[in-house]
């Protein structure tokens, strides 16, 4: 464990087929909605972001298109330090399937506390909603008080927020490993109000599970 | 850019005025900007370098127009860097420095340099916008994209933007047709319009020529020169268009507002005054919005240019306005420009261009048979344009004899080359050839001809390069027009007849030799007196070659030079008469002349129209003669006259409008070309359905295979099949209005339909288009093309009954390598012998009968790898392209992508089998042996380039269920783990599968790439690229089909298809059966497989208690170390206890 927090993070985007994972990723990586996106180059899924003044490189591993290769999932999960579990608010099954994915992650990481964000995508299709917001929120709480966001990849609503939140979680986990408890706790106390200011309406309390 | 290096030196002039400082300089740029913004919110590109100025953010304008003349002071002598401007000049801006100087190219001359932006204003009008945008694109293309990408010039798509731009301008101005009221009423409009169109036609023709050259694979070394030339031509078009627009604005404004708004500038402003009063700006804005632009001063007076407003209130009487009926001094050739067009280097460029043009048609002609008369004409043209070139070169030599020695040598070489060419041509005319019919080249003759022509090209290239070098040394100089140069000046005074109708003068004694040779040829062809007439020798003797020094301005000459083609049809006919007689031929000749290479019937020869097949190769050769006067352009136009129609007397009656007839035809064709979107490389990336269909069925270029395949493959994603069919029908219909291109286009429409039904029909969804197609075939196609009609009907019958493609689709239709793929395997080569023993086979048979158990360990890893590869390959090769569209394979219900699904199932099964085979063993040692075996198998798969199976095996071995069994892995030999680590690196998912992608791209088939990579790519393309992209039209933006998305999709699919070639391995059915059984066995465990295996794994090697699920236990480094320590002891204990517990 180095004292310096890692500068490159891998985020794995998981979820059933057709929930809009790829769109979410693309919207985040692209910044602007361009007409021409080439996913075949090495940097297609890399993005440098500034989190609290710290430059970090994100690599996003998107499982889009390969959901049926169930044996493949682990390969991705092993790589990742942070996870986006995405479902579509219009599809109950996609919501149910996430529990299994999370279990798998926990097994692989052998750790309950993983940086994770629960994402309900397609919030622009409120009319077709079948997953109640409360229910999703409840699930996120059960998972160790993880944040729950509702996004619209189409309108680019909350897309940045989701990834930013995950970055915070990852950085924190990293630093918590290399810092004594006291300092860590102090940091967290300092950070929290800021973070709430900065983040949008859908911010949920997070990281409560950490023992102080 | 060379300019930028020295920019700092030449910034000085703007700094002279300290009070204005940067603010002043900026203001000069900013205020026209503001004005333009108010009238056109969507103006231009993004903010550029100007942003760091303190003022309001300025927009970057691609085009500026000089308000005042700018002559760099003598102290800044290097005029190569600073760009002298004349008021009214249009400049294409590349960058703007913060100090207010811009790096720009003067459209008038193509010169590039620094210029002060405060002398200019932004040039941006809605009507002009498409054309300006097209020019910018054109510039980008020619300047940035072309070097490696000659394919671009295989068709003329890159030209369409300019054509569409001109069309848009004319349309907006209400001057699209010659008959529109405005054009009729206003002479100026008509003239400027005409010169615009004729320049356009010229460029179109050059483009066509370039296309020919690129197609003929012929020496590219002159490409740069040609491209430069095209760029200049494009510049000229815009210059003309600007002039046209000025005139138009003036005329229409005059109509609506009456007289006298304009005053003239009294000269260049001081810099301090550049930021003028707001009131003046307002006035200007108003004037601008009314679209009134004064041009009269520019037209009448070549030294000053009237600004659009009265920032400087010096009056120049409005009477300057030119009465619309007078003067020939109308064209854009104002002072500076006149000068420039007479520079010897200009002449050199043009005549070189002409010469190449002719030579290109030589090179083209060897590939197909042409009529003898055509060859003759071509030769003749070659000699003539060569002579012209000679004249120029000689002029240069004359000018400075001392420095020109190498040039003389080059010239001699060129002379020699042309002589050879003439001889080669003469060889062809041996008596054995029938006089009238198509020439049949003997291979040797054709070869000679080709060689001679090629030699000519390179000789001319050297010569011209040499001339240029010399010119650089001695400096460019002006000459009078080319006619004068060629000694035809005397003609110019008495008659407007263009000198170029005659054969030019002899350039020297040697040239007379070559001319004589041509005459020779013509005489060998009996019964063609008319042709020898065309080798008019009269008047040649009088000429001194190129010795005429630049003379003082001859008014008549310059007038003629500047004047546009003659206006009235009647006069052009008259004018045409003498020429017609001169070129008259016997009727038999005419027939031969007009006979297409494909031998049209006699019936077509009597009417005035040309066969459509002619049109196919030379779509816009409507007319070349008639009204051209002795302009330099006329000269060059004629020399590139197409032999088919060139001097036919009938042409005169066809076209009254002169050369711009071509462009008229080009522009008037109802086209959707303006609805296409191109990228910087010049490929189509978007467009409306009609535009795309039109692009598939262009008349002037063979359809681009990859484009067509892309459409076939993906059109269902953006149009319903019936819509697509209707668009084709519509194309068939509307092209009917343009007889010259009807036939080829209709044939192409038929071909597209046929290809669709034969090989790309999708029975699941295309049947809805059948009624449209059948109706079309019955009612529209059959009357015109009976054979085609019945073929379509027949196909319609078949597709409605058959399943699967009627004509088998070529594997990997889109892939570039499809043609060579057959070379990858030799069907006669013996298959590698299977590595399997008799006892192994016996064992398998025994197992089949229900006796005995078999382990994976019983077989050789290589053979297992082969059999798995064969199995996977079989599925992989049967994947249809439609399975990969629109994420079909992810559909939860009734997915059509059966094979893609089968691939993922197989992959998962193999993974499960690996896990299962390891986990079913109790002893760590045995498990380690199995792991070792699987690693070997995976390694063999890697050697077979079967990445799919490698991925499956590595995934399984790397899975937590196996990976966590530390005791097992400790028993795996070090060598094996090393190999395994290597395998893991190959299938590493990070960096977007870089390693995997690189490896696969370098492989030749057969190869089994990991299909997941393609699936992810396709999914991302599908969801990350919008279905439409905006197309900027003058009225705003409309969404059009984002073809780029579909091209990308097709590209990925074609990459996959590239590998759809079966392995050449022999199948061992017993082993296959056993494997299948094993796979099914693990599959039957179903979804819960993973959990079951996890439990099993836990049973085999239970969790170590120190690895508590509580994450917080491991938070501190200290803790961790301690735990690690404990962990170690635990392990030791565990290991001891294992045999007991299990």
């Amino acid at each position: 464990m180095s004292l310096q927090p890692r500068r490159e993070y891998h985020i794995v985007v998981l979820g059933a087929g057709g929930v809009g994972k790829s769109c979410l990723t693309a919207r985040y990586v692209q910044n602007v909605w361009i007409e021409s996106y080439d996913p075949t180059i090495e940097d297609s899924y890399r993005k440098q972001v500034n989190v609290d003044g710290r430059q970090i490189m994100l690599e996003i591993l998107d499982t889009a298109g390969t959901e049926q290769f169930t044996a493949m999932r682990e390969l991705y999960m092993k790589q990742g330090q942070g996870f986006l579990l995405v479902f579509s608010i219009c599809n109950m099954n996609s919501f149910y399937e996430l529990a299994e994915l999370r279990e798998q992650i926990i097994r692989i990481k052998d750790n309950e506390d993983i940086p994770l964000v629960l994402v309900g995508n397609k919030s622009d299709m409120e009319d077709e909603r079948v997953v109640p917001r409360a229910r999703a929120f409840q699930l996120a709480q059960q998972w160790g008080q993880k944040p729950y966001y509702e996004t619209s990849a189409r309108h680019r609503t909350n897309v940045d927020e989701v990834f930013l939140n995950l970055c915070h979680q990852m950085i924190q986990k990293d630093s918590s490993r290399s810092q004594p408890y006291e300092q860590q706790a102090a940091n967290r106390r300092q950070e929290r109000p800021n973070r709430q200011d900065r983040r949008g309406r859908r911010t949920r309390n997070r990281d409560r599970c950490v023992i102080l | 850019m060379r300019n930028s290096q020295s920019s700092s030196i030449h910034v000085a002039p703007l700094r002279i005025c300290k009070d204005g400082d940067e603010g002043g300089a900026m203001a000069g740029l900013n205020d026209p900007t503001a004005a333009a913004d108010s009238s056109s919110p969507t103006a231009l590109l993004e903010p550029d370098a100007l942003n760091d100025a303190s003022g309001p953010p300025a927009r970057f304008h691609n085009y500026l127009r000089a308000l005042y003349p700018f002559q760099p002071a003598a102290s800044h002598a290097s005029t190569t860097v600073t760009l002298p401007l004349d008021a009214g000049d249009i400049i294409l801006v590349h960058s703007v420095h913060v100090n207010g100087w811009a790096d720009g190219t003067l459209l008038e001359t193509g010169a590039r340099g620094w210029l002060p932006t405060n002398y200019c204003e932004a040039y941006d009008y809605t009507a002009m916008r498409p054309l300006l945008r097209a020019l910018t694109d054109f510039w980008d293309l020619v300047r940035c994209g072309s070097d490696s990408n000659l394919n671009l010039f295989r068709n003329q798509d890159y030209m369409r933007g300019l054509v569409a731009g001109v069309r848009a301008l004319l349309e907006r101005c209400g001057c699209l047709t010659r008959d529109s009221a405005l054009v009729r009423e206003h002479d100026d409009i008509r003239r400027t319009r005409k010169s615009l169109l004729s320049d356009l036609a010229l460029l179109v023709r050059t483009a066509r020529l370039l296309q020919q050259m690129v197609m003929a694979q012929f020496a590219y070394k002159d490409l740069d020169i040609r491209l430069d030339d095209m760029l200049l031509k494009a510049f000229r078009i815009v210059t003309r268009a600007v002039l046209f627009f000025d005139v138009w604005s003036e005329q229409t404004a005059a109509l609506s507002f009456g007289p006298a708004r304009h005053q003239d500038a009294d000269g260049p402003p001081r810099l301090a005054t550049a930021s003028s009063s707001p009131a003046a700006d307002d006035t200007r804005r108003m004037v601008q919005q009314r679209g009134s632009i004064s041009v009269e001063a520019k037209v009448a007076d070549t030294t000053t240019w009237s600004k659009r407003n009265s920032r400087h209130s010096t009056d120049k009487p409005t009477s300057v306005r030119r009465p619309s009926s007078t003067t020939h001094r109308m064209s854009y050739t104002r002072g500076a420009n006149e000068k420039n067009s007479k520079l010897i280097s200009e002449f050199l460029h043009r005549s070189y261009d002409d010469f190449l043009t002719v030579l290109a048609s030589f090179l083209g002609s060897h590939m197909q048979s042409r009529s003898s008369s055509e060859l003759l004409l071509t030769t003749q043209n070659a000699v003539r344009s060569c002579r012209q070139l000679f004249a120029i070169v000689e002029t240069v030599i004359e000018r400075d004899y001392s420095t020109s020695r190498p040039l003389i040598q080059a010239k001699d070489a060129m002379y020699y080359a042309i002589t050879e060419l003439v001889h080669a041509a003469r060889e062809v005319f041996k008596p054995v050839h029938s006089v009238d019919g198509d020439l049949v080249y003997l291979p040797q003759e054709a070869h000679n001809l080709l060689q001679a022509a090629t030699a000519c090209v390179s000789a001319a290239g050297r010569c011209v390069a040499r001339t240029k070098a010399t010119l650089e040394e001695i400096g460019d100089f002006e000459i009078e027009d080319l006619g004068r140069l060629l000694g035809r000046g005397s003609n110019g005074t008495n008659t407007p007849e263009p000198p170029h109708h005659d054969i030019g003068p002899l350039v020297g004694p040697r040239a007379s030799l070559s001319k004589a040779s041509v005459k020779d040829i013509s005489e060998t062809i009996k019964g063609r007196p008319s042709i020898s007439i065309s080798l008019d020798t009269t008047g040649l003797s009088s000429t001194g070659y190129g010795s005429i020094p630049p003379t003082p301005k001859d008014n008549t000459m310059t007038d003629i030079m500047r004047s546009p083609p003659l206006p009235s049809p009647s006069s052009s006919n008259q004018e045409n008469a003498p020429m017609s007689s001169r070129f008259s031929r016997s009727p038999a000749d005419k027939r031969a002349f007009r006979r297409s290479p494909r031998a049209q019937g006699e019936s077509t020869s009597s009417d005035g129209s040309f066969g459509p097949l002619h049109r196919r190769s030379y779509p816009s050769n409507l007319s070349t003669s008639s009204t051209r006067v002795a302009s330099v352009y006329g000269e060059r136009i004629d020399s590139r006259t197409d032999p088919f129609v060139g001097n036919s007397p009938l042409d005169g009656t066809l076209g009254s409008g002169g050369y711009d007839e071509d462009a008229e035809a080009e522009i008037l064709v109802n086209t959707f070309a303006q609805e296409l979107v191109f990228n910087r490389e010049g490929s189509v990336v978007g467009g409306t359905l009609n535009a795309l269909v039109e692009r598939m069925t262009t008349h002037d270029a063979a359809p681009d295979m990859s484009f067509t395949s892309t459409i076939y493959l993906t059109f269902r994603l953006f149009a319903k099949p019936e819509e697509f069919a209707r668009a084709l029908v519509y194309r068939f219909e509307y092209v009917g209005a343009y007889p010259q291109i009807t036939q080829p286009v209709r044939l192409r429409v038929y071909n597209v339909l046929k290809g669709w039904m034969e090989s790309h029909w999708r029975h699941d969804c295309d049947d809805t288009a059948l009624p449209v197609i059948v109706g079309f075939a019955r009612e529209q196609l059959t009357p015109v093309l009976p054979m085609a009609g019945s073929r379509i009907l027949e196909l319609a019958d078949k597709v409605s009954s058959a399943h699967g493609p009627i004509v088998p689709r070529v594997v990997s239709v889109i892939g570039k390598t499809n043609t060579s793929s057959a070379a990858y395997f030799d069907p006669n080569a013996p298959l590698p012998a299977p590595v399997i023993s008799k006892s192994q086979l016996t064992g398998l048979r025994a197992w089949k009968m229900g006796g005995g158990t078999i382990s994976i360990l019983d077989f050789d890893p290589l053979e297992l790898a082969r059999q798995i590869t064969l199995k996977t390959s079989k599925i992989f090769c049967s994947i249809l392209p439609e399975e990969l569209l629109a994420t079909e394979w992810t559909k939860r219900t009734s997915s059509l992508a059966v094979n893609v699904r089968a691939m993922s199932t197989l992959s998962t099964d193999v993974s499960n089998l690996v896990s299962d085979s390891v986990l079913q063993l109790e002893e760590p040692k045995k498990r380690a042996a199995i792991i070792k075996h699987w690693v070997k198998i995976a390694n063999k798969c890697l050697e077979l380039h079967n990445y799919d199976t490698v991925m499956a095996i590595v995934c399984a071995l790397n899975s937590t269920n196996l990976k966590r069994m530390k005791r097992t892995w400790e028993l795996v030999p070090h060598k094996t783990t090393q190999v395994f680590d290597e395998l893991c690196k190959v299938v590493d998912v990070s960096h977007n599968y870089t390693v995997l992608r690189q490896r696969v791209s370098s492989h030749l088939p057969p190869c089994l790439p990991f299909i997941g990579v393609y699936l992810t790519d396709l999914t991302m393309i599908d969801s990350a690229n919008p279905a439409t992209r905006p197309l900027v039209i003058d009225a705003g933006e409309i969404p059009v089909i984002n073809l780029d998305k579909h091209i990308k999709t097709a590209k990925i699919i074609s990459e996959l298809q590239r590998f759809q070639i079966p392995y050449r391995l022999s199948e061992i059915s017993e082993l296959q059966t056993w494997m299948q059984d094993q796979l099914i066995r693990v599959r039957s465990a179903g979804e819960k497989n993973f959990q079951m295996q996890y439990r099993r794994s836990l049973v085999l090697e239970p969790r170590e208690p120190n690895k508590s699920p509580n994450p917080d236990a491991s938070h501190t480094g200290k803790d961790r170390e301690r735990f690690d320590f404990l962990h170690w002891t635990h392990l030791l204990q565990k290991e001891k206890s294992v045999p007991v517990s299990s």
Side-chain angles (χ1 to χ4, degrees), chain B residues 812 814-816 1049-1059:
Chain B
S812 95
I814 314 162
K816 279 181 187 158
T1049 307
K1051 201 176 136 220
I1052 304 272
I1053 293 177
S1054 82
E1055 266 166 42
L1056 184 145
Q1057 284 180 316
R1058 183 163 86 90
F1059 294 113

Side-chain angles (χ1 to χ4, degrees), chain B residues 596-641:
Chain B
S596 78
R598 303 194 187 181
Q600 296 269 294
E602 290 277 288
S603 56
T604 52
S605 66
S606 56
D607 59 12
S609 71
F610 287 88
L613 287 174
H614 267 179
R615 287 299 162 205
R616 185 166 180 175
S617 24
Y618 297 95
S620 63
N621 292 325
L622 263 180
S623 155
T624 52
S625 54
S626 72
T627 60
R628 270 161 294 130
V629 274
S631 73
V632 281
Y633 305 117
E635 186 75 40
R636 56 199 313 222
I637 288 161
D638 192 60
S639 67
R640 61 177 74 214
T641 295

Side-chain angles (χ1 to χ4, degrees), chain A residues 8-22:
Chain A
E8 181 166 329
Y9 291 97
H10 291 217
I11 290 179
V12 183
V13 187
L14 294 163
V19 297
K21 291 190 297 291
S22 49

Side-chain angles (χ1 to χ4, degrees), chain B residues 956-1062:
Chain B
L957 293 178
N958 238 338
S959 71
T960 324
N961 295 344
L962 300 194
K963 210 60 208 217
R964 62 173 292 283
M965 298 196 291
K966 296 210 161 52
R967 280 179 296 137
T968 307
W969 281 93
E970 278 159 12
L971 295 170
V972 174
H974 181 61
K975 210 177 144 198
T976 306
T977 47
Q978 268 181 331
V979 174
F980 181 63
D981 286 346
E982 285 304 310
L983 291 172
C984 288
K985 278 180 201 157
V986 170
V987 296
D988 183 20
V989 296
S990 61
H991 295 270
N992 198 10
Y993 297 102
T994 317
V995 186
L996 202 55
R997 281 178 200 271
Q998 273 170 2
R999 290 183 75 114
V1000 168
S1001 67
S1002 66
H1003 287 323
L1004 294 177
C1007 166
L1008 272 174
F1010 171 55
I1011 195 180
V1013 177
Y1014 298 113
L1015 298 182
T1016 306
D1017 286 350
L1018 287 166
T1019 310
M1020 292 306 289
I1021 288 172
D1022 188 70
S1023 58
N1025 291 290
T1028 60
R1029 58 166 63 222
L1031 168 72
V1032 184
I1033 53 171
D1034 47 5
E1037 282 185 357
I1038 53 165
V1040 296
I1041 295 159
N1042 185 6
L1043 188 71
D1044 187 47
K1045 172 178 183 167
H1046 306 300
I1047 291 174
K1048 285 203 172 88
T1049 307
K1051 201 176 136 220
I1052 304 272
I1053 293 177
S1054 82
E1055 266 166 42
L1056 184 145
Q1057 284 180 316
R1058 183 163 86 90
F1059 294 113
Q1060 287 190 317
I1061 288 168

Side-chain angles (χ1 to χ4, degrees), chain B residues 193-478:
Chain B
R193 175 179 174 278
K194 200 169 221 169
S195 57
L196 168 63
L197 287 178
S198 71
D199 268 337
L200 182 65
L202 210 62
L203 180 62
V204 167
R205 179 158 288 214
T206 316
R208 203 162 282 145
L209 205 78
L210 187 64
Q211 179 188 4
Q212 251 175 335
M213 289 174 69
V214 175
M215 293 302 249
Q217 299 290 322
F218 125 83
Y220 293 146
K221 50 181 167 253
D222 313 311
L223 191 74
D224 281 348
I225 303 175
R226 304 194 70 85
L227 289 180
D228 282 352
D229 179 55
M230 286 182 59
L231 206 55
L232 270 178
K233 286 196 172 95
F235 285 169
R236 187 172 298 132
I237 287 173
V238 173
T239 323
R240 296 266 199 192
V242 167
L243 187 73
F244 165 79
F245 189 60
D246 288 348
V247 170
W248 178 85
S249 315
E250 178 210 1
Q251 296 284 2
T252 48
L255 284 180
S256 42
F257 294 108
R261 212 177 307 105
H262 308 293
Q263 288 135 334
D264 199 10
D266 60 341
R270 279 183 299 274
L271 287 175
T273 64
S275 52
S276 61
S277 71
D281 278 348
D282 282 342
T283 317
R284 187 158 63 106
R285 201 166 303 155
M286 259 173 55
V287 174
Q288 229 169 0
Q289 278 163 354
R290 276 181 299 193
S292 68
I293 299 147
S294 153
V295 287
E296 59 273 36
K298 173 173 40 150
V299 173
D301 184 334
T302 54
T303 55
T304 58
W305 180 72
S306 81
K307 288 190 305 124
R308 277 174 216 154
N309 71 337
S310 52
R311 201 184 280 183
H312 308 274
S313 52
T314 325
D315 290 336
K316 183 133 184 178
T318 49
S319 61
V320 211
R321 175 167 301 158
R322 184 171 37 79
S324 59
S325 59
T326 59
T327 188
H328 293 274
R329 310 191 45 175
M330 152 77 240
S331 77
Y332 83 116
T333 48
R334 316 186 313 273
N337 185 41
E338 229 168 83
K339 200 166 53 196
N340 288 326
S341 69
K342 274 190 268 177
L343 284 176
I344 186 87
S345 56
E346 284 280 304
F347 282 116
L348 179 70
H349 254 276
R350 281 186 214 131
S351 54
Y352 178 49
D353 191 36
D354 293 343
F355 187 44
L356 285 184
T357 309
V358 182
L359 287 177
S361 55
F362 250 113
L363 294 175
S365 70
H366 81 278
M367 289 181 296
Q368 62 202 75
S369 64
R370 295 271 178 94
S371 71
S372 51
S373 50
E374 187 198 335
L375 178 68
L376 185 75
L377 272 172
T378 316
T379 317
Q380 186 187 320
N381 280 334
V383 172
R384 187 173 47 202
S385 54
C386 180
R387 195 178 297 141
Q388 199 178 323
L389 192 56
F390 267 133
I392 291 161
V393 174
E394 303 250 358
T395 316
V396 175
I397 296 175
E398 286 271 309
R399 182 89 174 179
D400 192 341
Y401 194 80
S402 58
T403 57
S404 330
R405 186 151 297 278
L407 179 56
I408 293 171
Q409 282 166 6
K411 192 200 72 180
D412 288 349
M414 182 166 91
Y415 167 74
Y416 177 74
I418 188 80
T419 319
E420 282 297 296
L421 179 66
V422 171
H423 282 299
R426 184 163 46 184
E427 281 300 298
V428 181
F429 288 93
K430 283 178 182 158
V432 287
H433 297 304
S434 72
V435 169
D436 230 10
D438 292 343
L439 268 189
V440 184
Y441 289 116
L442 300 177
Q444 185 56 39
E445 290 167 359
H447 179 72
N448 286 346
L449 203 56
L450 186 65
Q451 269 206 327
T454 318
C456 257
V457 171
S458 53
R462 273 192 293 275
C463 187
V464 167
R466 204 53 250 174
T467 315
K468 276 189 172 170
T470 311
L471 276 178
E472 257 168 45
E473 270 178 53
I474 66 175
D476 217 344
F477 57 93
E478 293 171 39

